[in-house]
Amino acid sequence: MTAVIPPPFSGRELSNPPTDGISNLRFSNHSDHLLVSSWDKTVRLYDAGTNVLRGEFMHGGAVLDCCFHDDSSGFSASADNTVRRLVFNYEKEDILGRHDAHVRCVEYSYAAGQVITGSWDKTLKCWDPRGASGQERTLIGTYLQPERVYSLSLVGNRLVVATAGRHVNVYDLRNMSQPEQRRESSLKYQTRCVRCYPNGTGYALSSVEGRVAMEFFDLSEASQAKKYAFKCHRKSEAGRDIVYPVNAIAFHPVYGTFATGGCDGFINIWDGNNKKRLYQYSKYPSSIAALSFSRDGSLLAVASSYTYEEGDKPHEPDAIFVRSVNEIEVKPKPKPYPNPPA
């Protein structure tokens, strides 16, 4: 009799997943609630701890991003060009504002009390969600970008905007009249994701070509000497390198280490300070489309969802996994002390 080998542990799979590609997922800063946006035109709210679908919001087009305001409300960015406010307890929504093309990214700034959206219309917009409904009353400002916005990230009053054409703009939310810094990605290929370091000193940026760049805001020579880029999410097969896009970056809220997820279906955990990989999880059924750590870092939400990097072909169903995070996987290992001189 042949023993049945259990599949590698991927975490608990959430029931009632989206029926099309998952564009993003985010844990709340206040609970284990998880917000998930999808190409099936929905935003879903889950209780990740109890595996319960608590709410579902239907949009007029694919939903490309979502974020929490607090545990009772959130925001979404849609391909129907709208920015929406979602009120969870009443399962109601209203339109906060619009762009002239697909809205790719949405972030809520606790520091500024503003919603920030980036669109393929090559603009960034800031909104006051406390304003009366109606775009003319909630729109604070519109800021032209050099290209279509692909990814946004916030830390404190700093906002990093990554666009097509490998442009990166760094803003101070207290003075949005012009970028604090205008940069070009140090990676040669299209940007997929940008995420700020939790300590506010810089950001990590990933590309379609299996690389991640570690950057610093401080323009001094000493700080810029610390930046570097590294290869990841690739494999050698029959003597050639197969390279996968790095779709997702998520920083651990306690240790500052970070996870990357690629189209190879793998998640790697990295210690950026010591330039080491700490851990690799077993392969997931499909591409890793998005990642999010819970507020205390004890859970990692994983979107296993084909991202059409190889065109329209049969693929595994879209799934959301929530796995427990062991300290061994994410805690930096102390550097060994050198031997004392004789």
Side-chain angles (χ1 to χ4, degrees), residues 90 138 142 165 174 199 209-210 293 342:
Y90 301 101
T138 58
T142 301
R174 295 165 296 189
N199 66 7
E209 190 248 346
F293 282 106

Side-chain angles (χ1 to χ4, degrees), residues 34-98:
L34 184 71
L35 205 57
V36 179
S37 55
S38 169
W39 284 80
D40 70 0
K41 303 182 181 179
T42 68
V43 176
R44 286 171 163 84
L45 175 69
Y46 297 90
D47 185 329
T50 58
N51 196 355
V52 171
L53 178 65
R54 296 179 62 92
E56 185 176 339
F57 300 85
M58 182 63 69
H59 290 46
V63 189
L64 305 183
D65 200 4
C66 60
C67 70
F68 279 95
H69 177 201
D70 51 33
D71 250 18
S72 63
S73 62
F75 304 99
S76 63
S78 177
D80 67 4
N81 303 359
T82 64
V83 182
R84 294 172 188 249
R85 175 185 7 227
L86 316 172
V87 183
F88 305 142
N89 296 342
Y90 301 101
E91 293 199 18
K92 289 183 178 178
E93 61 181 84
D94 64 349
I95 293 175
L96 193 66
R98 299 178 188 273

